[in-house]
Amino acid sequence: MSKDRYDLPCNIAQTLNIIGDRWTLLIIHEMMIGRTTFNEIKKSLTGLSSKLLSDRLKYLEEAGLIVSALYSEHPPRYRYKLTESGEALETVFNSLIYWGRHHLPKCYKKLIHASCGHEVDISYHCPHCQTNVDDLKVIEA
Amino acid sequence: MSKDRYDLPCNIAQTLNIIGDRWTLLIIHEMMIGRTTFNEIKKSLTGLSSKLLSDRLKYLEEAGLIVSALYSEHPPRYRYKLTESGEALETVFNSLIYWGRHHLPKCYKKLIHASCGHEVDISYHCPHCQTNVDDLKVIEA
DNA sequence: AATACTTAGTTGTTTTATCACACTCAATCC
DNA sequence: GGATTGAGTGTGATAAAACAACTAAGTATT
């Protein structure tokens, strides 16, 4: 159920309450790149135990980030899929990849513009002004 | 020193090895919005213990995300500041704020274009083509 | 037909991480 | 001179995670 590890009035803290547990983001990431079954996920995340994966999948389904669909009755077998809000974590992954690319001693992945192959930067676009903004501000909602 | 909780060849996992511990991102965030001393940070993060803050600050300094500067000799008092790589986590915070804004039941912060006040979206800009890309790709580096 | 293997977990124990609380030490506030 | 503040350290308790073994149903192998 809900953990509320951080009891702070902040998007960041509240978001981390959902996805900030150990392994959680990596599990979601595996699903984002196409792994859908329990063992597919488990195999690609060496060090992750069955128990923790089982716990996390249950929690993520409660939190609405994933859905499980039965694809075999006997024995029961589930396929896990991201919901819209789970898919929306892509920007979080991209920001982590971007930071890693520029600040880790060793880098494994990078973000490129598919049609030209060059690396891209993260920017902020104002749909009202139809421009990229150089004066981003974070305000209380 | 290094923990290597996740032993996976992935930017995301390696980045989370540095900033994925409990409280770590929130501590960095407090520094980003201007809190610089031990007690300033501690006070604004209710629930965080002295010990953990002390541990995290030491670790983050080792990892090169922050630096501490003595501002009083007797007694020794330090002011903590983000380094360039610490500051670069801003995109990570923004992506978390953005996700929270759109997917949390309650939202506290949002990203706006300072000069017009409208909310912005996260996008990816290709400096080579000088356009925002709609065909982002993640590739092995 | 018996044995082994795979999937998708559950249960139980050990180890590690985190929390809560007390304490230090020097300086300053009342 | 006692209380409070700033910046921590130390210790024991508790929660979380890692590790290991086990289940149950079906599939493949010998």
Side-chain angles (χ1 to χ4, degrees):
Chain A
M1 191 69 86
S2 71
K3 311 202 177 179
D4 289 349
R5 307 183 309 158
Y6 306 125
D7 182 23
L8 299 163
C10 169
N11 293 29
I12 297 171
Q14 293 305 314
T15 300
L16 289 176
N17 270 336
I18 300 173
I19 57 159
D21 283 312
R22 262 216 241 313
W23 293 105
T24 300
L25 266 178
L26 295 179
I27 292 167
I28 296 171
H29 185 243
E30 290 304 318
M31 295 175 67
M32 194 165 291
I33 60 177
R35 328 233 194 245
T36 56
T37 66
F38 191 91
N39 268 28
E40 264 182 331
I41 297 168
K42 184 162 153 43
K43 266 182 203 141
S44 45
L45 294 176
T46 39
L48 171 63
S49 72
S50 290
K51 174 164 171 48
L52 203 69
L53 179 53
S54 175
D55 290 352
R56 291 290 189 265
L57 289 171
K58 277 197 199 86
Y59 177 75
L60 288 172
E61 188 159 17
E62 269 180 59
L65 301 199
I66 69 175
V67 282
S68 65
L70 201 69
Y71 71 88
S72 152
E73 290 255 17
H74 287 287
R77 293 277 178 273
Y78 294 93
R79 175 149 288 141
Y80 297 94
K81 259 187 57 188
L82 294 174
T83 61
E84 192 263 325
S85 74
E87 289 286 351
L89 287 168
E90 199 170 1
T91 57
V92 175
F93 292 120
N94 289 338
S95 68
L96 290 170
I97 291 170
Y98 189 83
W99 189 88
R101 166 65 174 152
H102 295 279
H103 299 282
L104 283 176
K106 187 154 191 268
C107 158
Y108 302 92
K109 292 193 176 85
K110 54 186 184 176
L111 302 172
I112 63 160
H113 182 189
S115 54
C116 83
H118 284 80
E119 274 191 81
V120 301
D121 291 314
I122 293 174
S123 64
Y124 303 92
H125 185 258
C126 176
H128 177 254
C129 306
Q130 302 209 290
T131 59
N132 284 353
V133 318
D134 54 3
D135 53 346
L136 182 71
K137 215 177 143 187
V138 178
I139 63 163
E140 303 298 311
Chain B
M1 192 66 92
S2 71
K3 310 202 175 177
D4 289 349
R5 307 183 308 160
Y6 306 126
D7 182 23
L8 300 163
C10 170
N11 294 28
I12 297 172
Q14 294 304 316
T15 300
L16 289 175
N17 270 336
I18 300 173
I19 57 159
D21 284 312
R22 260 215 243 312
W23 293 105
T24 300
L25 265 178
L26 295 180
I27 291 168
I28 295 171
H29 184 243
E30 290 303 319
M31 296 175 66
M32 195 165 291
I33 60 176
R35 327 231 194 247
T36 57
T37 66
F38 191 92
N39 268 27
E40 264 182 332
I41 297 168
K42 183 160 154 44
K43 266 182 203 141
S44 45
L45 295 175
T46 38
L48 170 64
S49 71
S50 291
K51 173 156 176 50
L52 203 69
L53 178 54
S54 174
D55 291 351
R56 291 290 188 266
L57 289 171
K58 277 198 199 83
Y59 177 75
L60 288 172
E61 187 159 17
E62 268 181 60
L65 301 199
I66 68 174
V67 281
S68 65
L70 201 69
Y71 72 87
S72 151
E73 289 256 17
H74 286 289
R77 293 276 179 275
Y78 295 93
R79 175 149 288 140
Y80 297 94
K81 260 187 58 189
L82 294 173
T83 61
E84 192 265 325
S85 75
E87 289 286 350
L89 287 168
E90 198 170 2
T91 57
V92 176
F93 293 121
N94 289 338
S95 68
L96 290 170
I97 291 170
Y98 189 82
W99 189 89
R101 166 68 172 149
H102 295 279
H103 298 281
L104 284 176
K106 188 155 190 268
C107 157
Y108 302 91
K109 292 192 175 87
K110 54 186 185 176
L111 303 173
I112 63 160
H113 182 188
S115 55
C116 83
H118 284 80
E119 274 191 84
V120 301
D121 292 314
I122 293 174
S123 65
Y124 303 92
H125 185 259
C126 177
H128 178 253
C129 306
Q130 301 209 291
T131 59
N132 283 354
V133 318
D134 54 4
D135 53 347
L136 182 71
K137 215 176 143 186
V138 178
I139 62 162
E140 303 298 310

